Amino acid sequence: MPKDLNENICEARVFEHVYNTHSIDVHNFLYYKYGEQFNPKDKVQDAFIKLWDNCKKVTLSKAKSFLLTVASNMVLNDIKHRKVVLNHQKNVPKSHTNETPEFILEHEEFFQRYKKVLESLSEEQRVAFLLNKVEGKKHKEIADLLGVTKKVVEYRIYSAFGILKKELEGFKIK
């Protein structure tokens, strides 16, 4: 290496010299150790980008070691990523549930009965009940929204709940 090049890798001439000197060695190291499937040319370029990003921290004497370590770590990270992808592809999502056909049928029938009973409620009861139980609104919010008192809203919700409980056996709600 010529004597006029000082130790600062951040200078373009020094960096170019490091690239010309070590790029083939780093490529060959990756190629022989890991093979072509991990794109050693790309990893070499990425390693030199890392070197440029850290040029103030790496001395000229440690540049080759830095490049080999960074490039090797990039390939190892790529291998780990491929393993994760492969394991993910092996796990086939469940196409079934633990629910029996009878349970699914009962659930659907109950839902149909629930919808029918909801339709049979008066509009005031249905609106107050659904705002409270489905949308999670508080009684005071519903009262403000509908323009009635909180007591009226409570009466509508609890009367709707009573009808649902009477018409649907096993009806419970939180």
Side-chain angles (χ1 to χ4, degrees):
M1 185 166 150
K3 289 183 182 180
D4 59 57
L5 295 177
N6 55 21
E7 291 281 320
N8 192 355
I9 295 177
C10 294
E11 291 182 22
R13 291 183 310 143
V14 176
F15 189 81
E16 183 179 353
H17 177 73
V18 170
Y19 180 81
N20 292 335
T21 306
H22 300 303
S23 63
I24 293 172
D25 293 338
V26 175
H27 175 271
N28 289 342
F29 170 76
L30 294 176
Y31 182 79
Y32 295 134
K33 188 166 182 178
Y34 301 108
E36 184 65 34
Q37 73 267 21
F38 294 105
N39 303 322
K41 290 179 183 176
D42 292 344
K43 300 299 188 258
V44 169
Q45 295 301 318
D46 291 341
F48 274 97
I49 290 171
K50 273 273 205 237
L51 177 62
W52 182 255
D53 291 341
N54 295 295
C55 66
K56 292 182 181 176
K57 299 175 188 172
V58 180
T59 62
L60 189 59
S61 61
K62 302 286 183 181
K64 185 174 182 180
S65 173
F66 178 84
L67 289 167
L68 291 172
T69 302
V70 167
S72 183
N73 287 342
M74 287 179 179
V75 173
L76 292 174
N77 288 341
D78 198 15
I79 290 170
K80 285 181 186 176
H81 176 70
R82 288 183 184 195
K83 283 182 181 178
V84 168
V85 169
L86 184 63
N87 285 336
H88 183 69
Q89 289 173 343
K90 284 181 184 177
N91 293 334
V92 178
K94 281 196 225 177
S95 61
H96 65 283
T97 63
N98 293 333
E99 298 169 344
T100 64
E102 293 84 16
F103 174 80
I104 294 171
L105 183 62
E106 287 174 8
H107 183 269
E108 184 60 36
E109 288 173 355
F110 184 83
F111 184 67
Q112 294 301 326
R113 288 193 326 244
Y114 172 74
K115 282 179 19 182
K116 242 183 191 173
V117 174
L118 271 181
E119 290 172 2
S120 72
L121 296 174
S122 70
E123 184 176 348
E124 293 86 12
Q125 289 173 325
R126 184 174 51 253
V127 169
F129 180 81
L130 292 175
L131 284 172
N132 180 252
K133 299 301 179 190
V134 175
E135 294 188 20
K137 294 194 182 296
K138 306 243 185 272
H139 294 181
K140 179 72 174 135
E141 291 177 282
I142 299 169
D144 292 341
L145 190 67
L146 298 177
V148 295
T149 66
K150 183 179 169 188
K151 287 289 185 189
V152 170
V153 170
E154 290 172 356
Y155 175 77
R156 289 177 182 176
I157 292 171
Y158 293 121
S159 62
F161 185 70
I163 294 170
L164 285 164
K165 199 171 178 181
K166 184 176 128 193
E167 296 291 325
L168 301 170
E169 65 183 52
F171 179 76
K172 294 178 184 171
I173 197 161
K174 292 181 183 178

